[in-house]
Amino acid sequence: MRPQWIIDLHEDFPGSALVAAALDDPLIVEPHDAMMGRWPGVHEGRAVVGYGTMPTMRSLRRVPGLGEAVFDDYATLRCSFYYRHVYDLLGRTAVFMPFSAVPQLPLRRMFGGDQVFVRSDTNYKLFPAGVHAIAELGRWLQTYDQYRDELVVVSEVVSFEREYRCFCRNGRFVCGSSYPIEPFLPVPDHVRGFAEAAAARLLAHGSTMVTVDVGVGLDGVLRLVELGGVNSWGIYGSYVADFIAAMEAEALARADM
């Protein structure tokens, strides 16, 4: 029996509508139902797959009997966890620090420029990641002062000619495309190989399902942008049938454990 899908349809997450349209019998969770913890009934013994926004998937993960539908391990998806395994694939200098410490450090000397890239340690984005002028960091910090004690990543600025999102299962490429700007292009073989190399390192630490975002620098060098999960990550131009097949195979494999 094929797994049952629980889809969180949300206007801010168009990927869920694409997946839902390709399924015969998805169970749709409306945003207000997810907020209230009202989940659809699933036939006992049937494997389940969840797909939708991260807040809804985090809530679903806590539901007895349904939590197995979410494959994403949010602890291992923190940069502070996975950077130790893939740091050489970043192709840039990156350091961790408390948010509040960012304006206090000699960033120009550390990174050799007037700008730095700042992102949250967690993939549950607390604030928009982006490039910032070092001189403006103090003012920017005030905007997100509620996160001043959170861990952030500060790195040198690298420009990408194109970025690709690669979904991998058991260290092997499943599907993917360029992102986030259309037209979405197929993933070249050398980018697939790079993504698989990164996914294999996380597989050694228990992460069977990951997305690997790969950037092609202006110099042609491939660099890891970030690693992510699969339940709350947009599929862009990926072949939907391949994505569905991989997610269902993972659900069935976990049900047999």
Side-chain angles (χ1 to χ4, degrees), residues 1-173:
M1 183 183 297
R2 289 184 62 179
Q4 176 69 65
W5 285 74
I6 297 177
I7 301 288
D8 166 34
L9 285 182
H10 198 290
E11 61 182 7
D12 293 334
F13 190 60
S16 59
L18 293 174
V19 173
L23 297 167
D24 294 330
D25 62 343
L27 298 177
I28 304 300
V29 178
E30 300 295 339
H32 62 277
D33 290 325
M35 185 181 302
M36 298 301 294
R38 294 193 293 258
W39 305 100
V42 176
H43 186 276
E44 186 175 353
R46 189 173 182 182
V48 181
V49 180
Y51 188 65
T53 62
M54 192 176 293
T56 296
M57 291 300 103
R58 287 168 66 98
S59 296
L60 179 61
R61 186 178 173 90
R62 295 191 290 267
V63 178
L66 293 180
E68 295 81 1
V70 183
F71 312 138
D72 296 345
D73 181 353
Y74 296 107
T76 61
L77 293 176
R78 285 182 174 271
C79 297
S80 53
F81 174 84
Y82 70 76
Y83 269 23
R84 72 192 75 178
H85 307 299
V86 296
Y87 189 83
D88 59 307
L89 302 181
L90 295 179
R92 57 194 181 277
T93 301
V95 297
F96 296 97
M97 62 188 71
F99 198 169
S100 59
V102 174
Q104 313 302 324
L105 296 177
L107 298 176
R108 289 185 179 84
R109 187 170 76 242
M110 292 169 64
F111 295 101
D114 294 323
Q115 295 181 319
V116 290
F117 179 83
V118 184
R119 61 154 293 169
S120 172
D121 171 48
T122 173
N123 271 324
Y124 192 75
K125 303 294 195 303
L126 301 176
F127 54 85
V131 175
H132 298 276
I134 292 174
E136 300 296 325
L137 282 173
R139 187 177 308 163
W140 179 68
L141 172 63
Q142 293 176 3
T143 304
Y144 298 99
D145 188 64
Q146 68 269 38
Y147 304 122
R148 61 182 297 106
D149 296 324
E150 297 288 340
L151 194 63
V152 300
V153 181
V154 182
S155 65
E156 64 179 303
V157 177
V158 176
S159 297
F160 295 120
E161 180 179 351
R162 182 165 286 118
E163 297 182 38
Y164 294 92
R165 170 154 294 175
C166 303
F167 290 89
C168 297
R169 178 171 184 257
N170 292 334
R172 301 303 301 272
F173 177 89

Side-chain angles (χ1 to χ4, degrees), residues 180-197:
I181 301 171
E182 298 188 60
F184 301 130
L185 304 175
V187 180
D189 288 344
H190 69 299
V191 176
R192 291 189 183 197
F194 184 92
E196 289 183 337

